[in-house]
């Protein structure tokens, strides 16, 4: 008997338990065990077979770690067909997250029961795949084509009650799955024919065409949503016996696709990222109350995120008016949550009562952690920490949200350096997923672990970073922008560069993005970096000239583009094109044409080079840390897996070639990473 699937006969009922931690994925041992269970239940002439899972969840999917290898028999679709065709009625008693192969297993059964709160979905789309064991073919036959398209093309999860309302469940129960299922089979209804034998209800003639248009727009280059739509269209137009093999063939083909590999890399990286070596042996400290200093956009976003995760928050500002304004900002975010249906009225009241806004540091005396989010000025930040340290416990954690300033300077003169850390949030802080967790030389492992735990509670992706100018994310951003500016001088327009990067899959190009976030921040950064910039490094001053002309981006209706009032659409501006041409002429540059591919290759090469330097210098522990920073903080397309994964996908030689061109284009301006030499 399989070690991960056991069958126990209780009277005339076969109890089939899957016990394959951590998430009962349908690896080869589970598949073998289920086949044996079908035979066993039949041999015993059981009245019904109940399949359930040990541990925290019903089957949460196929075993993703097997996807890089050739498929091994028995194949999942065959196992599930055996279950559906068995003379014994099968009952799935689900709990936890019933996803992908788990949902497919439930659909192969005659009856589906779910514990309250169980969540269902076909997340294959998020891994660049279509289901591989009949999911796209059975789901439309179970809950209708429209609802199936919604689930399969978005990967969205629904809970047991929603699935029940769609007609996808026979029973939602409280309590133990086995007990509930035994009760259910005591009065077993007559099974309907298996889902593979049914036909889905027809949909409107133009349904698939209009969905295709809608999804193409939304997917921004990711192909799996359209693949899933295609698979469901097979279910709507072909018998199961034809649709299912097509689904399986597409699933296997997609396992080898670059997009699926990239998305799987992102999935496993997200799980590995929270276990850096530097933290080994550390354990998170208890945090109940958090002080947030600064009630601006960033501070309010952080405070709201912390409240929402269940912490008490003291918001500190320099005077009572500013504290009141900070409170109003947080309450505005709470109101926004209510409006979008994310926060109930009751919860809103609770959040408000967990917030204190004050101008007196005494309000944070009993806080376990303080996060400073004030103006980016060393002196101001130092003063904040002096005040915090004099009011808080000596072991309370002190965190700075600085984007550029060296945290060791910020904390100078404060006692107990093991409690210092950087927690770099991205704006808007309650929405953006990335949290750079900055380790100082003195930071203790427990404090690091607390940073990661906080990230998890806030539902963020925490990435460990060492100290350098801009940490991981902004340092790469600044290399990217520098190279984009070189391309501008040498022949491109902002629009051409933006179009090329959108074509690559970025939500925005570098110039539209600067117009959106404002040109002042990078201007200030360039001024700050000026004294340490190598004298022979190529410097493009177009961005500075735009700022001097008070073109700060969308907020001033002009920046790299011009804008008409009330509209965010960028329009090319002769002023900027002339300025670029003048600057190029003054520098004696003969402008040349670049193809979109050349633009992408060069911009990606500098991103990869900077990422490689960051790993070489030990600022990031691994390539995957760099990838997740770009994906979760900078809109890098997840389906490309991040810049470092992309490099391995296209091959390091191609990156080297592009980087050679880059270095030739702008001599003395780039330091090459070892692996690109
Ligand atoms: N195949 C192989 N391993 C899987 C897996 C799968 N389908 N799903 C999860 N795991 C592993 C994770 O890598 C992690 O391993 P680790 O502890 O060594 O890092 C472990 O199971 C726990 O997963 P984690 O995501 O950390 O736990 P969670 O409780 O936060 O979430 C799930 C559980 C099931 C919701 C989540 O893991 C998930 O969404 N899994 C993928 C589901 C999926 O896409 N299924 C379709 C596959 S075709």
């Amino acid at each position: 008997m399989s070690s991960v699937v056991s069958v126990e006969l209780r009277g005339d009922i076969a109890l089939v338990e899957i016990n394959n931690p951590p998430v009962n994925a349908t690896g080869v041992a589970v598949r073998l065990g289920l086949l044996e269970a079908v035979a066993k239940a039949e041999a015993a002439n059981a009245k019904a077979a109940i399949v359930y899972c040990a541990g925290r969840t019903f089957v949460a999917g196929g075993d993703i770690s097997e996807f890089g290898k050739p498929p091994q028999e028995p194949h999942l679709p065959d196992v599930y067909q055996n279950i559906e065709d068995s003379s014994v009625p099968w009952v799935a008693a689900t709990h936890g997250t019933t996803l992908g192969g788990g949902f497919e297993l439930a659909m192969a059964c005659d009856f589906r029961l779910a514990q309250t709160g169980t969540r269902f979905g076909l997340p294959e789309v998020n891994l660049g795949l279509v289901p591989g064991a009949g999911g796209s073919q059975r789901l439309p036959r179970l809950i209708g084509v429209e609802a199936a398209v919604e689930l399969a093309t978005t990967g969205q999860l629904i809970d047991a009650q929603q699935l029940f309302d769609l007609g996808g469940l026979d029973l939602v129960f409280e309590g133990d799955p086995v007990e509930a299922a035994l009760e259910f089979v005591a009065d077993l209804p007559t099974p309907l024919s298996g889902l593979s034998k049914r036909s889905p209800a027809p949909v409107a003639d133009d349904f698939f065409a209009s969905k295709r248009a809608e999804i193409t727009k939304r997917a921004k280059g990711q192909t799996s949503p359209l693949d899933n739509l295609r698979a469901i269209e097979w279910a709507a137009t072909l018998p199961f016996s034809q649709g299912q093999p097509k689904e399986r063939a597409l699933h296997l083909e997609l396992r080898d696709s670059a997009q699926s590999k990239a998305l799987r890399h992102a999935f496993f990286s997200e799980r590995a990222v929270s276990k850096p070596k530097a933290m080994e042996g550390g354990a998170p400290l208890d945090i109940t109350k958090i002080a947030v200093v600064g009630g601006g956009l960033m501070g309010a976003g952080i405070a709201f995120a912390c409240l929402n995760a269940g912490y008490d928050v003291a918001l500190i500002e320099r005077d009572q008016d500013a504290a009141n304004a900070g409170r109003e900002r947080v309450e505005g975010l709470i109101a926004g949550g209510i409006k979008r249906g994310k926060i109930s009225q009751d919860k809103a009241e609770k959040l408000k009562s967990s917030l204190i806004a004050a101008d007196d540091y005494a309000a944070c005396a009993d806080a376990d952690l303080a996060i400073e989010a004030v103006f980016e000025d060393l002196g101001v930040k130092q003063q904040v920490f002096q005040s915090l340290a004099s009011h808080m416990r000596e072991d309370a954690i002190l965190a700075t949200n600085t984007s550029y300033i060296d945290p060791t300077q910020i904390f100078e003169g404060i006692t107990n350096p093991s409690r210092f850390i950087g927690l770099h949030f991205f704006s808007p802080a309650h929405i953006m997923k990335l949290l750079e967790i900055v380790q100082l030389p003195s930071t203790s492992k427990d404090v690091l672990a607390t940073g990661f735990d906080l990230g998890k509670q806030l539902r963020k992706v925490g990435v460990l970073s060492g100290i350098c100018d801009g940490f991981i994310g902004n340092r790469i951003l600044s290399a990217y922008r520098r190279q984009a500016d070189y391309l501008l001088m040498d022949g491109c327009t902002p629009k051409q560069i933006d179009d090329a990067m959108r074509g690559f899959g970025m939500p925005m190009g570098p110039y539209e993005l600067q117009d959106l976030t404002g040109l002042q921040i990078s201007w200030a950064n360039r001024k700050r970096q000026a004294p340490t910039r190598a004298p022979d490094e190529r410097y493009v001053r177009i961005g500075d000239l735009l700022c001097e002309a008070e073109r700060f981006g969308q907020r001033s209706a002009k920046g790299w583009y011009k804008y008409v009032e009330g509209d965010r659409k960028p329009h090319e501006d002769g002023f900027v094109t002339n300025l670029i041409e003048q600057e190029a002429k003054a520098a004696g540059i003969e402008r040349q044409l670049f193809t979109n591919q050349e633009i992408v290759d060069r911009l990606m090469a500098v991103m990869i080079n900077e990422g490689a330097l960051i790993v070489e210098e030990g600022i990031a522990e691994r390539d995957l840390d760099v990838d997740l920073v770009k994906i979760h903080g900078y809109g890098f397309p997840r389906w490309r897996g991040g810049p470092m994964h992309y490099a391995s996908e296209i091959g390091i030689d191609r990156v080297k070639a592009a980087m050679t061109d880059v270095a030739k284009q702008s001599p003395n301006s780039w330091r090459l990473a070892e692996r690109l030499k």
Side-chain angles (χ1 to χ4, degrees), residues 31-65:
R31 301 200 292 275
L32 275 169
L34 283 173
L35 266 191
E36 285 177 35
V38 172
K40 257 195 166 170
E42 283 176 3
N45 210 3
K47 176 184 165 197
I50 295 169
V51 58
Y52 65 99
C53 287
R56 58 174 154 159
T57 180
F58 195 74
V59 174
D63 188 340
I64 305 172
S65 59

Side-chain angles (χ1 to χ4, degrees), residues 5-20:
V5 180
S6 60
V7 182
E8 178 203 332
L9 279 171
R10 193 168 303 173
D12 54 359
I13 306 299
L15 293 178
V16 181
E17 186 194 68
I18 303 176
N19 185 358
N20 185 30

Side-chain angles (χ1 to χ4, degrees), residues 21-23 25-26 56-67 97 99-102 104 119 121-124 126-127 129-132 157 251 267-268 271-272 275 456:
V23 296
T26 55
R56 58 174 154 159
T57 180
F58 195 74
V59 174
D63 188 340
I64 305 172
S65 59
E66 278 184 7
F67 288 1
T97 37
L99 307 180
E104 290 175 310
R119 295 194 300 157
L122 293 178
E124 286 86 346
N126 297 329
L127 298 169
L129 299 169
V130 298
L157 307 191
H251 169 87
F267 177 86
F268 283 116
R271 275 134 194 98
K275 300 161 195 154
K456 191 172 163 194

Side-chain angles (χ1 to χ4, degrees), residues 312-481:
D312 292 332
V313 173
L315 187 67
I316 311 286
E317 262 291 0
R318 60 179 174 275
D319 55 49
Q320 196 53 50
D321 283 350
N324 293 343
R327 172 180 269 284
E328 268 171 37
R329 268 192 203 103
V330 177
E331 290 186 352
L333 295 173
I334 296 174
I338 299 176
K339 215 161 136 194
R340 283 195 311 279
K342 301 254 182 213
I343 297 177
S344 67
Q345 202 65 49
D346 279 358
K347 183 165 178 197
E349 290 314 314
K350 188 172 173 306
L351 298 190
K352 286 183 203 166
S353 67
S354 305
L355 174 70
I356 301 169
D359 64 350
D360 183 351
Y361 281 84
C364 62
D366 58 344
D368 310 291
L369 159 71
I371 305 172
E372 161 277 313
V374 303
F375 187 65
E376 197 71 349
D377 177 278
L378 178 61
V380 177
K381 286 182 190 283
Q382 283 174 329
Q383 214 147 45
V384 164
F385 283 108
Q386 294 290 351
S387 308
L388 284 169
S390 67
H391 285 85
M392 294 174 76
R393 293 195 317 267
E394 189 158 324
D395 63 346
I397 300 177
L398 300 180
T400 171
N401 176 53
T402 183
S403 314
Y404 288 98
I405 304 173
D406 182 345
T408 35
Q409 289 183 352
I410 294 177
F411 291 114
E412 233 161 47
I414 312 276
T415 54
N416 186 11
S418 66
R419 61 179 168 152
F420 304 162
I421 192 168
L423 293 175
H424 184 208
F425 290 80
F426 288 73
S427 193
H430 58 295
I431 292 175
M432 293 295 288
K433 282 283 213 190
L434 178 64
L435 177 67
E436 280 180 330
I437 299 175
V438 182
Q439 178 184 23
L440 284 77
S442 62
T443 310
S444 77
K445 288 181 186 237
D446 288 352
V447 169
L448 268 191
T450 313
F452 274 93
D453 189 54
L454 177 76
K456 191 172 163 194
Q457 302 304 326
L458 303 184
R459 295 168 174 266
K460 301 209 178 289
V461 178
V463 181
L464 181 66
S465 173
I467 297 173
C468 65
D469 198 281
F471 308 117
I472 300 173
N474 283 339
R475 174 168 160 185
I476 295 178
L477 178 66
S478 113
Y480 172 66
R481 285 188 174 161

Side-chain angles (χ1 to χ4, degrees), residues 608-662:
I608 294 162
N609 183 57
E610 205 63 37
L613 285 170
I614 284 170
V615 176
E616 256 165 54
E617 293 166 17
I619 302 294
E621 274 193 6
R622 305 151 294 189
D623 282 4
L624 67 89
D625 298 292
V626 174
D627 284 340
L628 290 186
V629 164
K630 297 318 283 184
I631 290 175
H632 290 293
Y634 298 83
F636 195 96
R638 186 180 174 85
W639 55 268
R640 295 233 190 236
M644 309 315 283
H645 175 85
Y646 175 74
S648 61
E649 180 60 37
I650 62 170
I652 202 73
D653 288 343
R654 199 172 128 194
V655 184
K656 271 187 196 166
M659 201 57 211
T660 308
D661 291 339
V662 163

